[in-house]
Amino acid sequence: MSTIKTSNLDNSQKTCPHNSQITCGDCRLGSICLPLAMESDDIVKLDEIVQRGRPLQKSEHVYRENDDFSSVYAVRSGTIKTYRLTGDGQEQVTGFYFPGEILGMDGISKDHYANSAKALETSAVCEIPFNHLEQLSTQFPSMQRHFFQLMSQEITNDQQLITLLGKNSAEERVAALLISISARNARRKLSATSFRLPMSRTDIGNYLGLTIETVSRVFSRFNKQGLISVEGKEVTLLDSDGLKSIANIKVTEHPL
């Protein structure tokens, strides 16, 4: 059924990353999202529970902190920022999520979301109701195993962020973020050396515990040292090994 539906799409629809008619079986992110290692018949069953709404516009929320937990979300296109509000109402950025990555798992333990999530640019997400996902996970061991891996990675990411913020050097923090984005792009079969940063310098500073002035100085310093080339939000890594050396941590291909 899904094959017939997709075959009726014209080429512009097929390639549009925001197209809600693209199924899990046709999605270019299928190899890194939840359907990993699933058989085609199993993917069809996953398709039946996935909800694909209209594209999110910049600053539009996927969910808000303390909303009742009901679903996890897979980013299909664009970039999503998660954040918490501090006691004085200021945002504290807790993560950036790129296509193929899953967010919302912070709501599992207490049945409400611990963070808010909003789009940094025009984005699209696949909503996966958690109660249905639990049922499917018991039927398909490969999906259950992959979901457990995702939950484990969330714990690892939190530990990495704590380690990162414990470092004194702003250069280490910025280099680690750039290498993380590079690795995640490579995982999606995109360029690992040239990419656009969808987040603002303010968001980067907020996430890394640095002022916007410090972030700008580090980017300028890296540029002068020949480590990167920067034009606005467009970044080219000229010396990835040098950045890894500065980061001085083992950076994974998942969010920090």
Short mmCIF file of all heavy atoms in Angstrom, two decimals, residues 159-217:
data_model
loop_
_atom_site.label_atom_id
_atom_site.label_comp_id
_atom_site.label_asym_id
_atom_site.label_seq_id
_atom_site.Cartn_x
_atom_site.Cartn_y
_atom_site.Cartn_z
N GLN A 159 26.19 12.54 30.25
CA GLN A 159 27.49 12.42 30.91
C GLN A 159 28.56 13.20 30.14
O GLN A 159 29.42 13.85 30.74
CB GLN A 159 27.88 10.95 31.03
CG GLN A 159 26.99 10.16 31.99
CD GLN A 159 27.27 8.67 31.95
OE1 GLN A 159 27.81 8.14 30.97
NE2 GLN A 159 26.90 7.97 33.02
N GLN A 160 28.50 13.14 28.81
CA GLN A 160 29.47 13.87 28.00
C GLN A 160 29.33 15.37 28.18
O GLN A 160 30.32 16.10 28.22
CB GLN A 160 29.30 13.50 26.52
CG GLN A 160 29.81 12.11 26.17
CD GLN A 160 29.65 11.81 24.69
OE1 GLN A 160 28.77 12.35 24.04
NE2 GLN A 160 30.49 10.95 24.17
N LEU A 161 28.07 15.84 28.25
CA LEU A 161 27.85 17.27 28.42
C LEU A 161 28.40 17.74 29.76
O LEU A 161 29.02 18.80 29.85
CB LEU A 161 26.36 17.59 28.31
CG LEU A 161 25.98 19.07 28.46
CD1 LEU A 161 26.71 19.91 27.41
CD2 LEU A 161 24.48 19.26 28.34
N ILE A 162 28.19 16.96 30.82
CA ILE A 162 28.72 17.30 32.13
C ILE A 162 30.25 17.38 32.08
O ILE A 162 30.88 18.30 32.61
CB ILE A 162 28.27 16.27 33.19
CG1 ILE A 162 26.76 16.39 33.43
CG2 ILE A 162 29.03 16.48 34.50
CD1 ILE A 162 26.19 15.28 34.28
N THR A 163 30.85 16.40 31.40
CA THR A 163 32.32 16.39 31.25
C THR A 163 32.78 17.60 30.46
O THR A 163 33.77 18.26 30.81
CB THR A 163 32.77 15.10 30.54
OG1 THR A 163 32.36 13.97 31.31
CG2 THR A 163 34.29 15.08 30.38
N LEU A 164 32.05 17.91 29.38
CA LEU A 164 32.42 19.02 28.52
C LEU A 164 32.37 20.34 29.27
O LEU A 164 33.29 21.16 29.20
CB LEU A 164 31.47 19.07 27.31
CG LEU A 164 31.74 20.13 26.24
CD1 LEU A 164 33.07 19.86 25.55
CD2 LEU A 164 30.61 20.17 25.23
N LEU A 165 31.29 20.56 30.03
CA LEU A 165 31.13 21.81 30.75
C LEU A 165 32.10 21.92 31.92
O LEU A 165 32.31 23.01 32.46
CB LEU A 165 29.68 21.95 31.25
CG LEU A 165 28.63 22.05 30.15
CD1 LEU A 165 27.25 22.20 30.76
CD2 LEU A 165 28.92 23.21 29.21
N GLY A 166 32.68 20.79 32.33
CA GLY A 166 33.65 20.80 33.41
C GLY A 166 35.03 21.23 32.96
O GLY A 166 35.91 21.48 33.78
N LYS A 167 35.23 21.34 31.66
CA LYS A 167 36.53 21.75 31.14
C LYS A 167 36.65 23.28 31.19
O LYS A 167 35.69 24.01 30.99
CB LYS A 167 36.69 21.25 29.70
CG LYS A 167 36.78 19.72 29.61
CD LYS A 167 36.97 19.26 28.19
CE LYS A 167 37.14 17.75 28.12
NZ LYS A 167 38.33 17.28 28.84
N ASN A 168 37.86 23.74 31.45
CA ASN A 168 38.08 25.17 31.58
C ASN A 168 38.21 25.89 30.24
O ASN A 168 37.94 27.07 30.14
CB ASN A 168 39.36 25.45 32.41
CG ASN A 168 39.21 24.99 33.85
OD1 ASN A 168 38.13 25.13 34.42
ND2 ASN A 168 40.27 24.46 34.42
N SER A 169 38.62 25.17 29.22
CA SER A 169 38.94 25.80 27.95
C SER A 169 37.72 25.95 27.05
O SER A 169 37.02 24.98 26.74
CB SER A 169 40.00 24.95 27.23
OG SER A 169 40.15 25.36 25.89
N ALA A 170 37.47 27.19 26.63
CA ALA A 170 36.40 27.45 25.67
C ALA A 170 36.71 26.78 24.33
O ALA A 170 35.81 26.31 23.63
CB ALA A 170 36.23 28.96 25.48
N GLU A 171 38.00 26.73 24.00
CA GLU A 171 38.41 26.09 22.74
C GLU A 171 38.03 24.61 22.72
O GLU A 171 37.57 24.08 21.71
CB GLU A 171 39.93 26.23 22.53
CG GLU A 171 40.39 27.62 22.12
CD GLU A 171 40.48 28.59 23.29
OE1 GLU A 171 40.23 28.15 24.45
OE2 GLU A 171 40.79 29.76 23.06
N GLU A 172 38.21 23.93 23.86
CA GLU A 172 37.85 22.52 23.94
C GLU A 172 36.36 22.32 23.69
O GLU A 172 35.93 21.41 22.99
CB GLU A 172 38.20 21.96 25.32
CG GLU A 172 39.69 21.72 25.54
CD GLU A 172 39.96 21.23 26.95
OE1 GLU A 172 39.78 22.00 27.90
OE2 GLU A 172 40.35 20.05 27.09
N ARG A 173 35.55 23.18 24.28
CA ARG A 173 34.10 23.04 24.17
C ARG A 173 33.62 23.26 22.73
O ARG A 173 32.82 22.49 22.21
CB ARG A 173 33.41 24.03 25.11
CG ARG A 173 33.78 23.84 26.58
CD ARG A 173 33.03 24.81 27.47
NE ARG A 173 33.57 24.81 28.82
CZ ARG A 173 33.03 25.45 29.84
NH1 ARG A 173 31.92 26.16 29.67
NH2 ARG A 173 33.58 25.41 31.05
N VAL A 174 34.11 24.34 22.11
CA VAL A 174 33.68 24.65 20.75
C VAL A 174 34.19 23.58 19.77
O VAL A 174 33.45 23.14 18.88
CB VAL A 174 34.18 26.05 20.32
CG1 VAL A 174 33.84 26.30 18.85
CG2 VAL A 174 33.54 27.13 21.20
N ALA A 175 35.44 23.14 19.95
CA ALA A 175 35.98 22.10 19.07
C ALA A 175 35.19 20.81 19.19
O ALA A 175 34.90 20.14 18.18
CB ALA A 175 37.46 21.85 19.40
N ALA A 176 34.81 20.45 20.41
CA ALA A 176 34.04 19.22 20.62
C ALA A 176 32.69 19.30 19.92
O ALA A 176 32.22 18.32 19.33
CB ALA A 176 33.85 18.98 22.12
N LEU A 177 32.03 20.46 19.98
CA LEU A 177 30.74 20.62 19.32
C LEU A 177 30.88 20.49 17.80
O LEU A 177 30.08 19.82 17.14
CB LEU A 177 30.12 21.97 19.68
CG LEU A 177 28.76 22.26 19.02
CD1 LEU A 177 27.71 21.26 19.47
CD2 LEU A 177 28.31 23.68 19.34
N LEU A 178 31.91 21.12 17.23
CA LEU A 178 32.12 21.06 15.78
C LEU A 178 32.39 19.63 15.32
O LEU A 178 31.86 19.18 14.29
CB LEU A 178 33.28 21.97 15.37
CG LEU A 178 33.03 23.48 15.49
CD1 LEU A 178 34.31 24.25 15.21
CD2 LEU A 178 31.91 23.92 14.55
N ILE A 179 33.20 18.89 16.08
CA ILE A 179 33.49 17.50 15.72
C ILE A 179 32.24 16.63 15.86
O ILE A 179 32.00 15.73 15.05
CB ILE A 179 34.64 16.95 16.60
CG1 ILE A 179 35.95 17.66 16.26
CG2 ILE A 179 34.80 15.44 16.39
CD1 ILE A 179 36.38 17.53 14.81
N SER A 180 31.43 16.90 16.85
CA SER A 180 30.18 16.16 17.02
C SER A 180 29.25 16.36 15.83
O SER A 180 28.71 15.41 15.27
CB SER A 180 29.47 16.59 18.31
OG SER A 180 28.20 16.00 18.42
N ILE A 181 29.08 17.63 15.40
CA ILE A 181 28.22 17.91 14.25
C ILE A 181 28.79 17.27 12.99
O ILE A 181 28.06 16.73 12.16
CB ILE A 181 28.06 19.43 14.08
CG1 ILE A 181 27.30 20.01 15.27
CG2 ILE A 181 27.34 19.76 12.78
CD1 ILE A 181 27.22 21.52 15.28
N SER A 182 30.11 17.33 12.85
CA SER A 182 30.77 16.70 11.70
C SER A 182 30.47 15.21 11.63
O SER A 182 30.11 14.67 10.57
CB SER A 182 32.28 16.93 11.80
OG SER A 182 32.98 16.14 10.85
N ALA A 183 30.61 14.52 12.76
CA ALA A 183 30.38 13.08 12.80
C ALA A 183 28.91 12.74 12.52
O ALA A 183 28.59 11.75 11.86
CB ALA A 183 30.81 12.52 14.15
N ARG A 184 28.02 13.55 13.03
CA ARG A 184 26.59 13.30 12.82
C ARG A 184 26.19 13.54 11.37
O ARG A 184 25.34 12.86 10.81
CB ARG A 184 25.79 14.18 13.78
CG ARG A 184 25.96 13.72 15.22
CD ARG A 184 25.81 14.84 16.23
NE ARG A 184 24.44 15.28 16.39
CZ ARG A 184 24.10 16.29 17.19
NH1 ARG A 184 25.03 16.94 17.89
NH2 ARG A 184 22.85 16.64 17.32
N ASN A 185 26.83 14.53 10.72
CA ASN A 185 26.59 14.73 9.29
C ASN A 185 27.08 13.52 8.49
O ASN A 185 26.40 13.06 7.56
CB ASN A 185 27.32 15.99 8.80
CG ASN A 185 26.48 17.24 8.96
OD1 ASN A 185 25.34 17.18 9.41
ND2 ASN A 185 27.04 18.37 8.58
N ALA A 186 28.25 13.03 8.85
CA ALA A 186 28.81 11.87 8.14
C ALA A 186 27.89 10.67 8.28
O ALA A 186 27.71 9.88 7.34
CB ALA A 186 30.20 11.54 8.68
N ARG A 187 27.29 10.52 9.44
CA ARG A 187 26.37 9.41 9.68
C ARG A 187 25.15 9.49 8.77
O ARG A 187 24.57 8.47 8.40
CB ARG A 187 25.95 9.46 11.16
CG ARG A 187 25.07 8.32 11.63
CD ARG A 187 25.04 8.29 13.15
NE ARG A 187 24.03 7.38 13.64
CZ ARG A 187 22.86 7.73 14.16
NH1 ARG A 187 22.55 9.02 14.24
NH2 ARG A 187 22.00 6.85 14.59
N ARG A 188 24.76 10.70 8.39
CA ARG A 188 23.64 10.89 7.47
C ARG A 188 24.10 10.94 6.01
O ARG A 188 23.35 11.30 5.13
CB ARG A 188 22.90 12.19 7.82
CG ARG A 188 22.15 12.13 9.13
CD ARG A 188 21.41 13.43 9.40
NE ARG A 188 22.31 14.49 9.88
CZ ARG A 188 22.25 15.76 9.49
NH1 ARG A 188 21.36 16.14 8.59
NH2 ARG A 188 23.08 16.65 10.00
N LYS A 189 25.38 10.59 5.80
CA LYS A 189 25.97 10.59 4.46
C LYS A 189 26.00 11.99 3.84
O LYS A 189 25.85 12.17 2.63
CB LYS A 189 25.25 9.59 3.54
CG LYS A 189 25.39 8.15 4.00
CD LYS A 189 24.66 7.19 3.08
CE LYS A 189 24.96 5.74 3.44
NZ LYS A 189 24.67 5.41 4.84
N LEU A 190 26.18 12.99 4.70
CA LEU A 190 26.38 14.37 4.26
C LEU A 190 27.84 14.74 4.49
O LEU A 190 28.60 13.97 5.07
CB LEU A 190 25.46 15.31 5.06
CG LEU A 190 23.96 15.07 4.93
CD1 LEU A 190 23.20 16.03 5.84
CD2 LEU A 190 23.50 15.23 3.49
N SER A 191 28.22 15.91 4.05
CA SER A 191 29.61 16.33 4.19
C SER A 191 30.00 16.46 5.66
O SER A 191 29.30 17.11 6.45
CB SER A 191 29.83 17.68 3.49
OG SER A 191 31.14 18.15 3.75
N ALA A 192 31.12 15.86 6.01
CA ALA A 192 31.63 15.94 7.38
C ALA A 192 32.51 17.16 7.58
O ALA A 192 32.90 17.47 8.70
CB ALA A 192 32.41 14.68 7.72
N THR A 193 32.83 17.85 6.48
CA THR A 193 33.76 18.98 6.59
C THR A 193 33.13 20.33 6.26
O THR A 193 33.62 21.36 6.71
CB THR A 193 34.96 18.77 5.65
OG1 THR A 193 34.50 18.55 4.30
CG2 THR A 193 35.78 17.56 6.09
N SER A 194 32.04 20.34 5.51
CA SER A 194 31.39 21.60 5.17
C SER A 194 29.91 21.53 5.52
O SER A 194 29.20 20.65 5.02
CB SER A 194 31.55 21.91 3.67
OG SER A 194 32.91 22.10 3.35
N PHE A 195 29.46 22.41 6.38
CA PHE A 195 28.07 22.38 6.80
C PHE A 195 27.65 23.74 7.33
O PHE A 195 28.47 24.61 7.63
CB PHE A 195 27.82 21.32 7.87
CG PHE A 195 28.85 21.28 8.98
CD1 PHE A 195 28.75 22.14 10.07
CD2 PHE A 195 29.91 20.39 8.93
CE1 PHE A 195 29.68 22.12 11.08
CE2 PHE A 195 30.87 20.35 9.95
CZ PHE A 195 30.74 21.23 11.03
N ARG A 196 26.33 23.90 7.44
CA ARG A 196 25.75 25.13 7.97
C ARG A 196 25.34 24.90 9.41
O ARG A 196 24.74 23.89 9.74
CB ARG A 196 24.53 25.53 7.14
CG ARG A 196 23.79 26.77 7.65
CD ARG A 196 22.61 27.08 6.77
NE ARG A 196 21.83 28.19 7.29
CZ ARG A 196 20.89 28.07 8.21
NH1 ARG A 196 20.60 26.86 8.72
NH2 ARG A 196 20.22 29.12 8.64
N LEU A 197 25.70 25.83 10.28
CA LEU A 197 25.30 25.74 11.67
C LEU A 197 23.90 26.35 11.81
O LEU A 197 23.74 27.57 11.64
CB LEU A 197 26.28 26.49 12.57
CG LEU A 197 27.70 25.91 12.68
CD1 LEU A 197 28.57 26.85 13.51
CD2 LEU A 197 27.68 24.52 13.28
N PRO A 198 22.89 25.55 12.12
CA PRO A 198 21.53 26.08 12.19
C PRO A 198 21.27 26.89 13.46
O PRO A 198 20.31 27.65 13.52
CB PRO A 198 20.66 24.81 12.17
CG PRO A 198 21.53 23.76 12.79
CD PRO A 198 22.93 24.09 12.34
N MET A 199 22.11 26.72 14.46
CA MET A 199 21.91 27.42 15.72
C MET A 199 22.69 28.74 15.74
O MET A 199 23.70 28.90 15.04
CB MET A 199 22.32 26.54 16.91
CG MET A 199 23.80 26.22 17.00
SD MET A 199 24.41 25.04 15.77
CE MET A 199 23.68 23.51 16.36
N SER A 200 22.22 29.68 16.52
CA SER A 200 22.89 30.97 16.64
C SER A 200 24.11 30.86 17.55
O SER A 200 24.26 29.89 18.30
CB SER A 200 21.92 32.01 17.22
OG SER A 200 21.59 31.68 18.56
N ARG A 201 24.97 31.86 17.49
CA ARG A 201 26.13 31.90 18.39
C ARG A 201 25.63 31.98 19.85
O ARG A 201 26.26 31.43 20.76
CB ARG A 201 27.02 33.10 18.07
CG ARG A 201 27.64 33.09 16.68
CD ARG A 201 28.71 32.05 16.54
NE ARG A 201 29.49 32.24 15.32
CZ ARG A 201 29.22 31.68 14.14
NH1 ARG A 201 28.16 30.88 14.03
NH2 ARG A 201 29.98 31.89 13.09
N THR A 202 24.50 32.65 20.04
CA THR A 202 23.93 32.75 21.39
C THR A 202 23.54 31.38 21.91
O THR A 202 23.83 31.03 23.07
CB THR A 202 22.69 33.68 21.39
OG1 THR A 202 23.08 34.99 20.95
CG2 THR A 202 22.08 33.77 22.78
N ASP A 203 22.88 30.58 21.07
CA ASP A 203 22.50 29.22 21.47
C ASP A 203 23.72 28.36 21.73
O ASP A 203 23.74 27.55 22.67
CB ASP A 203 21.62 28.57 20.40
CG ASP A 203 20.17 29.01 20.49
OD1 ASP A 203 19.76 29.47 21.57
OD2 ASP A 203 19.45 28.88 19.48
N ILE A 204 24.75 28.50 20.89
CA ILE A 204 25.98 27.73 21.10
C ILE A 204 26.59 28.09 22.45
O ILE A 204 26.99 27.21 23.23
CB ILE A 204 26.98 27.99 19.96
CG1 ILE A 204 26.47 27.38 18.65
CG2 ILE A 204 28.36 27.40 20.31
CD1 ILE A 204 27.34 27.70 17.44
N GLY A 205 26.67 29.39 22.73
CA GLY A 205 27.24 29.82 24.00
C GLY A 205 26.41 29.33 25.18
O GLY A 205 26.95 28.86 26.19
N ASN A 206 25.11 29.42 25.06
CA ASN A 206 24.21 28.95 26.11
C ASN A 206 24.43 27.47 26.37
O ASN A 206 24.54 27.03 27.52
CB ASN A 206 22.76 29.23 25.69
CG ASN A 206 21.76 28.92 26.78
OD1 ASN A 206 21.77 27.85 27.37
ND2 ASN A 206 20.86 29.87 27.03
N TYR A 207 24.51 26.68 25.32
CA TYR A 207 24.69 25.23 25.43
C TYR A 207 26.04 24.88 26.06
O TYR A 207 26.14 23.97 26.89
CB TYR A 207 24.56 24.61 24.05
CG TYR A 207 24.74 23.12 24.00
CD1 TYR A 207 23.90 22.25 24.69
CD2 TYR A 207 25.76 22.55 23.23
CE1 TYR A 207 24.05 20.88 24.63
CE2 TYR A 207 25.92 21.17 23.16
CZ TYR A 207 25.07 20.34 23.86
OH TYR A 207 25.24 18.98 23.80
N LEU A 208 27.08 25.61 25.66
CA LEU A 208 28.43 25.29 26.11
C LEU A 208 28.84 26.04 27.38
O LEU A 208 29.96 25.85 27.87
CB LEU A 208 29.44 25.61 24.99
CG LEU A 208 29.28 24.80 23.69
CD1 LEU A 208 30.30 25.28 22.66
CD2 LEU A 208 29.44 23.31 23.96
N GLY A 209 27.96 26.87 27.91
CA GLY A 209 28.30 27.62 29.11
C GLY A 209 29.30 28.73 28.86
O GLY A 209 30.15 29.03 29.71
N LEU A 210 29.19 29.37 27.69
CA LEU A 210 30.10 30.43 27.29
C LEU A 210 29.30 31.66 26.89
O LEU A 210 28.13 31.57 26.52
CB LEU A 210 30.97 29.99 26.10
CG LEU A 210 31.79 28.72 26.27
CD1 LEU A 210 32.40 28.31 24.93
CD2 LEU A 210 32.90 28.93 27.31
N THR A 211 29.92 32.83 26.93
CA THR A 211 29.27 34.03 26.43
C THR A 211 29.34 34.05 24.91
O THR A 211 30.21 33.41 24.30
CB THR A 211 29.95 35.30 26.97
OG1 THR A 211 31.28 35.38 26.44
CG2 THR A 211 29.99 35.29 28.49
N ILE A 212 28.44 34.80 24.29
CA ILE A 212 28.45 34.90 22.84
C ILE A 212 29.76 35.52 22.35
O ILE A 212 30.28 35.15 21.28
CB ILE A 212 27.23 35.72 22.34
CG1 ILE A 212 27.21 35.74 20.81
CG2 ILE A 212 27.23 37.11 22.92
CD1 ILE A 212 25.97 36.42 20.24
N GLU A 213 30.32 36.44 23.13
CA GLU A 213 31.59 37.06 22.75
C GLU A 213 32.71 36.03 22.73
O GLU A 213 33.56 36.03 21.82
CB GLU A 213 31.94 38.20 23.72
CG GLU A 213 31.02 39.40 23.67
CD GLU A 213 29.73 39.21 24.45
OE1 GLU A 213 29.63 38.20 25.20
OE2 GLU A 213 28.83 40.05 24.31
N THR A 214 32.71 35.14 23.73
CA THR A 214 33.74 34.10 23.78
C THR A 214 33.61 33.14 22.61
O THR A 214 34.61 32.76 21.97
CB THR A 214 33.65 33.32 25.10
OG1 THR A 214 33.85 34.22 26.20
CG2 THR A 214 34.70 32.22 25.16
N VAL A 215 32.38 32.75 22.29
CA VAL A 215 32.15 31.86 21.15
C VAL A 215 32.67 32.50 19.87
O VAL A 215 33.38 31.87 19.07
CB VAL A 215 30.65 31.51 21.00
CG1 VAL A 215 30.39 30.76 19.69
CG2 VAL A 215 30.18 30.68 22.18
N SER A 216 32.36 33.77 19.66
CA SER A 216 32.81 34.48 18.45
C SER A 216 34.33 34.56 18.40
O SER A 216 34.94 34.38 17.34
CB SER A 216 32.20 35.89 18.41
OG SER A 216 30.79 35.82 18.31
N ARG A 217 34.97 34.81 19.56
CA ARG A 217 36.43 34.89 19.59
C ARG A 217 37.05 33.54 19.25
O ARG A 217 38.06 33.48 18.52
CB ARG A 217 36.91 35.36 20.97
CG ARG A 217 36.80 36.85 21.21
CD ARG A 217 37.68 37.29 22.36
NE ARG A 217 37.27 36.67 23.62
CZ ARG A 217 36.37 37.19 24.45
NH1 ARG A 217 35.79 38.34 24.15
NH2 ARG A 217 36.06 36.58 25.57
#
